[in-house]
């Protein structure tokens, strides 16, 4: 297995390289339409595949670009991904993506922070269309209609509002897939990106269970989920299980404990998403010998996954001021994880017209 500590060390170097890189977003010179889809592909299942196929069928001559996070290999919930991103990118290209680029470091950011980064990536790619899966619930059709009219729709505490017309569209909270759509609308509006008629909304298909898929991977038995994923996903998963390359649930425990035990109250308080109260609670309960004891000292946050995010931040300790600077420059580098062929790569580079592109190589 490629050691997780080596991946995280490499990614920390990439993070600070990006922070030191100056880059301007340019208008593209290429004439091809570009579809940008943000998906974690953790792993790529039939829901992702359906969304990709639907968008590609509407614009068959377009470039389909998948934005796959990203640095530090932790999801928006702070939980380690199943596969490193260059393998997730390999699967995406094998089932139809033309280009896969690296997305932001979701696991060490708040949801608003990585939503803003993703929307800045849409802008940097000169995106023409953005496909998004959604779950049909009461009131969602009106929200989707307003967004495709270019309205600034945003999620507020216990309600969804149209900030363009100052109307409340829905009372209550949205589920994750639907929330992401309103989060994108809010962030795209903030950066001044005209998204009128750019979203391709795809009704989410049934019969896919992330829980069952993860269990099948841990058990190396895909009998119960063979109809939930493309054959290529299962093929690669079996290959990487044999290669001992599954990183789901694997953390750099020593670095996490070193940060929790040795950082001062001030240093902990300055980390992204940390408050002084959280930092003080960690300091007051140390020294920690294992992650289980440390987790118990982490105060419950605004989401059920807050503790996992805190562990990811302790694992990759970056001050909130540094994160803010990183977001303001994002994406300073457009890092390509995989591509279908050299012709599509050439078209992609012409479309984005950005000199700061690079290819990521993890293994070797």
């Amino acid at each position: 297995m490629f050691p997780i500590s080596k991946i995280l060390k490499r990614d920390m170097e990439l993070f600070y390289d990006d922070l030191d890189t100056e880059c301007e977003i340019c208008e593209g010179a290429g004439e091809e339409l570009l579809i940008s889809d943000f998906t974690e592909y953790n792993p790529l299942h039939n829901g992702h595949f359906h969304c990709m196929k639907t968008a590609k069928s509407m614009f068959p001559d377009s470039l389909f670009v998948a934005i796959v996070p990203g640095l530090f290999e932790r999801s928006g919930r702070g939980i380690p991904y199943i596969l490193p991103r260059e393998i997730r990118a390999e699967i995406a290209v094998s089932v139809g993506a033309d280009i896969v680029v690296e997305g932001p470091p979701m696991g060490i950011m708040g949801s608003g922070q990585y939503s803003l980064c993703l929307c800045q990536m849409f802008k940097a790619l000169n995106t023409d269309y953005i496909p998004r899966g959604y779950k049909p619930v009461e009131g969602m059709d009106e929200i989707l209609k307003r967004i495709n009219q270019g309205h600034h729709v945003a999620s507020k505490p216990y309600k969804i509002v149209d900030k363009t017309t100052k109307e409340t569209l829905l009372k209550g909270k949205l589920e994750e897939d639907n929330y992401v759509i309103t989060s994108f609308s809010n962030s795209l509006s903030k950066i001044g990106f005209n998204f009128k008629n750019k979203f391709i909304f795809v009704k989410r298909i049934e019969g896919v269970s992330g829980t069952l898929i993860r269990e099948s991977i841990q058990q190396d038995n895909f009998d119960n989920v063979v109809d939930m994923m493309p054959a290529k996903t299962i093929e690669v998963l079996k290959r990487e299980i044999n290669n001992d390359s599954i990183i789901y649930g694997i953390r750099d425990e020593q670095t996490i404990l070193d940060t929790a035990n040795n950082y001062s109250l001030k240093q902990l308080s300055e980390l992204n998403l940390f408050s002084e109260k959280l930092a003080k609670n960690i300091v007051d309960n140390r020294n920690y010998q294992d992650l289980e004891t440390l987790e118990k000292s982490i105060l419950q946050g605004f989401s059920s996954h807050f503790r996992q995010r805190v562990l990811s931040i302790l694992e990759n300790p970056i001050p909130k001021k540094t994160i803010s600077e990183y977001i303001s420059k994002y994406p300073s580098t457009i890092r390509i994880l995989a591509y279908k062929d050299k012709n599509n790569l050439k078209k992609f580079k012409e479309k984005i017209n950005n000199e700061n592109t690079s290819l990521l190589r993890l293994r070797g």
Side-chain angles (χ1 to χ4, degrees):
M1 182 182 73
F2 203 92
I4 195 66
S5 59
K6 190 170 183 178
I7 293 174
L8 297 181
K9 180 181 178 182
R10 185 276 318 263
D11 285 359
M12 188 66 78
E13 292 173 356
L14 290 174
F15 176 90
Y16 280 101
D17 284 346
D18 290 346
L19 191 66
D20 291 336
T21 300
E22 297 296 333
C23 181
E24 293 184 6
I25 295 176
C26 307
E27 290 189 10
E31 296 181 356
E32 283 78 17
L33 293 176
L34 190 147
I35 299 173
S36 296
D37 181 26
F38 157 68
T39 317
E40 294 180 277
Y41 294 150
N42 188 38
L44 191 153
H45 55 59
N46 285 344
H48 302 132
F49 190 35
H50 173 67
C51 190
M52 180 190 294
K53 287 189 297 182
T54 300
K56 285 171 66 71
S57 68
M58 293 174 66
F59 303 98
D61 296 326
S62 64
L63 284 173
F64 188 96
V65 180
I67 303 170
V68 174
L71 293 172
F72 310 118
E73 300 294 355
R74 272 79 186 106
S75 73
R77 298 177 179 181
I79 298 169
Y81 284 121
I82 292 167
L83 293 168
R85 58 193 181 277
E86 100 283 7
I87 303 175
R88 288 182 281 143
E90 173 195 343
I91 298 172
V93 168
S94 74
V95 301
D98 296 304
I99 305 287
V100 183
V101 299
E102 180 186 272
M106 294 178 66
I108 62 168
M109 289 181 167
S111 59
Q113 291 177 320
Y114 66 72
S115 176
L116 189 59
C117 284
L118 285 166
C119 289
Q120 289 171 182
M121 178 64 84
F122 290 144
K123 187 174 182 179
L125 295 177
N126 291 305
T127 298
D128 294 295
Y129 294 102
I130 304 169
R132 286 307 306 170
Y134 75 97
K135 185 174 183 179
V137 296
E138 186 176 353
M140 195 63 197
D141 284 346
E142 182 64 24
I143 291 171
L144 300 183
K145 184 181 80 173
R146 298 291 183 99
I147 290 173
N148 254 348
Q149 289 174 341
H151 289 210
H152 182 176
V153 175
S155 296
K156 298 291 183 182
Y158 303 104
K159 63 181 179 180
I160 310 301
V161 299
D162 183 334
K163 298 182 76 172
T164 301
T165 63
K166 298 180 171 55
E167 295 174 83
T168 296
L169 302 179
L170 185 70
K171 292 185 178 180
K173 292 184 175 182
L174 292 174
E175 294 186 31
E176 187 171 353
D177 286 352
N178 293 350
Y179 171 81
V180 169
I181 292 171
T182 59
S183 180
F184 280 173
S185 167
N186 187 42
S187 296
L188 288 168
S189 297
K190 287 182 177 179
I191 66 173
F193 185 83
N194 182 6
F195 54 89
K196 184 178 180 180
N197 295 324
K198 285 186 179 289
F199 278 96
I200 302 170
F201 295 120
V202 181
K203 183 179 176 181
R204 194 174 71 177
I205 64 172
E206 302 296 329
V208 176
S209 169
T211 299
L212 287 179
I213 290 173
R214 286 187 289 273
E215 288 177 357
S216 73
I217 293 167
Q218 291 171 315
Q219 297 166 7
D220 192 10
N221 184 343
F222 296 90
D223 292 345
N224 294 328
V225 297
V226 68
D227 295 327
M228 296 183 186
M229 295 178 283
K232 185 62 178 182
T233 297
I234 296 175
E235 175 190 326
V236 172
L237 283 169
K238 288 181 177 180
R239 183 193 75 195
E240 296 307 320
I241 289 171
N242 289 334
N243 290 339
D244 196 22
S245 297
I246 303 297
I247 60 173
Y248 181 68
I250 300 176
R251 290 193 178 275
D252 184 353
E253 183 171 344
Q254 189 58 55
T255 295
I256 295 172
L257 294 176
D258 285 347
T259 304
N261 285 326
N262 299 318
Y263 268 45
S264 68
L265 176 63
K266 182 175 184 296
Q267 286 175 309
L268 288 173
S269 299
E270 290 174 346
L271 295 179
N272 198 41
L273 303 187
F274 267 63
S275 65
E276 187 171 344
K277 183 178 180 181
L278 171 60
K280 186 175 187 304
N281 209 61
I282 290 176
V283 169
D284 288 347
N285 288 283
R286 60 192 187 193
N287 287 317
Y288 303 102
Q289 302 301 316
D290 54 65
L291 294 190
E292 183 178 358
T293 306
L294 173 58
E295 277 193 66
K296 291 178 180 177
S297 75
I298 298 173
L299 301 171
Q300 186 60 47
F302 50 84
S303 75
S304 58
H305 301 284
F306 181 71
R307 286 174 175 163
Q308 293 300 315
R309 285 193 182 186
V310 170
L311 289 181
S312 290
I313 293 165
L314 292 170
E315 191 175 36
N316 306 282
I318 301 174
K320 53 176 68 81
K321 286 185 177 180
T322 305
I323 292 288
S324 294
E325 183 183 352
Y326 179 86
I327 293 171
S328 70
K329 300 175 69 174
Y330 189 85
S332 59
T333 302
I334 296 176
R335 196 168 289 117
I336 300 165
L337 302 178
Y339 57 92
K340 185 177 180 179
D341 55 50
K342 290 184 177 180
N343 184 48
N344 279 324
L345 181 62
K346 180 176 180 291
K347 291 179 180 179
F348 172 71
K349 290 185 175 182
E350 289 175 352
K351 175 69 175 180
I352 64 172
N353 190 23
N354 191 313
E355 293 183 357
N356 287 18
T357 60
S358 65
L359 294 175
L360 179 69
R361 291 288 182 263
L362 177 60
R363 294 177 172 183

